[in-house]
Amino acid sequence: MKRHAYRHILHSLCALTLVLSVGFLALPEEAPVAAPVEQTLAGRVVAVDAGHGGYDGGARAPCGRWEKAYNLTVARALQKELEARGAQVVMTREGDYALCDKNPPIRKKRQDMERRAALVLGAGAEMLVSIHMNEYRDRSQSGPQVFCRADCPAGRQLAETVQAAMIESLSPKKERAASAGDFYILSLGIPSVLVECGFLSNAAEEALLRQDAYCERVAAAIADGIADYYALDAREEAAPREDR
């Protein structure tokens, strides 16, 4: 009788040990804790302009999708990226619409651009990034390119840091250089750039630009360029006058 009781207890202990072992092995691994994003743009006010919208579709990809849709996707991703880094973001549009009346007393495009400018300046933005897509009859052309006004040194510096960051992050087949461009949206008196994120006329690049993950990479690269611009500006301000 005692031997039977002992055997029963021994079996129970073995079973309990097995259950505990299986339970321990089945415990889910703790999810890695994401590192906090460095607040490199804290206190900065950046305007993000999604080019075109509404009646104004912009360029059209061979698949039939209008540029305005690509622009908005990247602009929203850039807004999220900049806010994560501490910036206050001013969006000129957040949906598929133009900033003009149905029948304005001036050209629709002119009123749209003037209202974008008024929105940016009224919000106290200290920088503007206008998001666009490129198109060309030669469908082999590819690669992002950043434009600025020729008569704005700060805009030129911003264009160069954003262009460099996009090349480093995206590794485009064609490495373009920042260039001067005569665009109304760049004439607001603050450092401003117009970013052509890629060519819709290039099948491979357009396919990438339809992917949210790639648009997020584009946005992160632009944000890196903006952060580099402010870091460079801070270093120049801190440098002794005779070293400048």
Side-chain angles (χ1 to χ4, degrees), residues 230-244:
Y230 280 121
L232 180 61
D233 192 49
R235 287 197 296 273
E236 289 183 348
E237 285 296 320
R241 183 168 298 277
E242 59 270 19
D243 292 343
R244 296 182 185 177

Side-chain angles (χ1 to χ4, degrees), residues 187-233:
S187 63
L188 307 188
I190 58 177
S192 305
V193 290
L194 186 148
V195 183
E196 299 276 10
C197 299
F199 282 75
L200 299 183
S201 47
N202 182 291
E205 197 158 63
E206 186 275 331
L208 286 174
L209 290 163
R210 269 189 277 123
Q211 301 174 18
D212 289 344
Y214 184 75
C215 289
E216 289 167 4
R217 286 180 57 198
V218 171
I222 296 171
D224 285 343
I226 293 172
D228 290 343
Y229 166 83
Y230 280 121
L232 180 61
D233 192 49

